[in-house]
Each structure stands twice: as C-alpha cells, then as structure tokens.
Amino acid sequence: MNTDPVVRQSERATDTPNRTETGAGGGLASAAGAAQAPNAAGGAPLELIAASLRRERRRTGLSLTEVARRAGIAKSTLSQLESGTGNPSLETLWAICVALDAPFSRLLDPPRPRVQVIRADEGPTVSAAQADYQATLLAACPPGARRDVYRIAAEPGHARVSEAHMPGVMEHVVLSAGRALIGVAGEPVELGPGDYICYPGDLKHVFEALESRTLAVLVSEHT
C-alpha cells in the first residue's frame, strides 16, 4: 500500500573485570554497584538473578554444561545460581554474562514486555488525494522484521488505486466494518466484516469502500 506523505567457587582470577571497563557487558561501574544492593537477607537479589540467568540461557539455547564451560566455572555452581541459592560474586556473574553475551545490568534490570496501545482516534494518519481513504500507521517495521501494520478508514466514492510496490510485497487485509472491493486491480473481491484477503502488493491493487465508515486492518509484508 502506498502511504506517501553466584557462590565463590572455582573462579578464575583472570575473569576479574576492570571496574572502569565498558564493553560487551556494558556499564560495569553502575551495574556492579547494583549487584551489591542488598535484598531482604542482606545479599544479592538472588531470585531476580536466578530468573535472569535462566531466561538468558534459554535465549541462547545453550546447556548448563556449555555455559559453565565458557564461563570457566563448575556446572554445579551455575546450577545453584539458576536455582537461587548460594552467594554469587561479581566475578562469577560477570564471567557468566560474557558466556551468555548479555549485558551485566540485565541480571538486575531485566527487559520488560513492551506493550503499545493506540486508541481508535490516535496514531499518525495520512490521507489519499483522490479517494476518501485514510491510513493510520499502527506498527512500523522494526529492525530485523519485514512488515508494517495500518488501520484503514474509507468512504464510498472514489476507489483507492495503488501502483505496484517493490517486488515480493504481499498485503493482508481484514475488514472490520462496512464492505469493500479489495485486491488486484481488475479483479478485486468484495469483503464484509471479518473477511480476510491476501494479494500481491507488487501488482497494481485497489481498495474501494462500498459502505460508509468502512474500516480494515492492513499488513504490508516485505519478503
């Protein structure tokens, strides 16, 4: 669609980090201070660290044995840490973070789920010049992904005709309200509420509202 507009066990002395170092672990000085912040028992926040270690190891797909080997610690030490027992040292945690390719701070400040809500009358909207047709961007394609999501509001009158996009683009439309002719130019399909259509966006295509207050969600997929 065109829308122009840790227990102190078997640690290696060589793993001791420089407190002014910033590297793959990121922000050691501040993170180290956070690691020493007491919990109710006066030690490191063991439950938080344990959950973070389990989460990061699942992310990498590595086994206990492999992470322990890369970190230069005993497998039993890592197992204890993931179960929330022991008294982890900064050196041991740092070595594990290096093995997991994870910032040290992530053990104490885990990422939070990103939830975004866009109400029906919100969002950046662009209008077509030759049709009563508005497209509101709901989710732009983030790095590594290849899709954009739009909310479409259209009125009867003039059809919205889009020229072919870049090769490989597919468009997916779910009609929410009203009725519309949607699809490849010359052979659009009439859709009603709840209907879905997928068509190649790299061909000329059309969206023509047949009823007032026609609403739809369009996903532009780049392959």
Side-chain angles (χ1 to χ4, degrees), residues 159-171:
R160 166 59 178 169
V161 179
S162 298
E163 297 300 326
H165 303 325
M166 67 184 70
V169 171
M170 296 292 294
E171 292 195 349

Side-chain angles (χ1 to χ4, degrees), residues 127-133 160:
S127 300
Q130 299 179 358
D132 194 344
Y133 176 99
R160 166 59 178 169

Side-chain angles (χ1 to χ4, degrees), residues 19 54 78 95 158:
R19 288 181 180 273
R54 294 192 301 268
L78 180 57
H158 297 283

Side-chain angles (χ1 to χ4, degrees), residues 49 51 126 211:
I49 289 173
V126 293
E211 292 183 3

Side-chain angles (χ1 to χ4, degrees), residues 2-3 7 20 26 36 53 55 78 111 113 116 121 123 131 135 147 149 163 177 182 194 197 217 219 223:
N2 188 347
T3 58
V7 177
T20 61
Q36 296 166 0
L53 288 175
R55 181 192 66 246
L78 180 57
Q116 181 184 31
D121 58 349
R147 56 98 186 106
V149 183
E163 297 300 326
I182 306 171
I197 187 172
V217 172
V219 177
T223 57

Side-chain angles (χ1 to χ4, degrees), residues 45-66:
L46 299 180
E47 291 185 3
L48 175 59
I49 289 173
S52 296
L53 288 175
R54 294 192 301 268
R55 181 192 66 246
E56 292 303 313
R57 188 167 63 81
R58 285 195 303 268
R59 176 183 60 81
T60 63
L62 298 174
S63 65
L64 272 171
T65 300
E66 180 58 20

Side-chain angles (χ1 to χ4, degrees), residues 173-180 182 189-197 216-217:
V173 178
V174 177
L175 203 71
S176 304
R179 303 194 71 81
I182 306 171
V189 178
E190 182 173 340
L191 270 62
D195 290 346
Y196 160 83
I197 187 172
V217 172

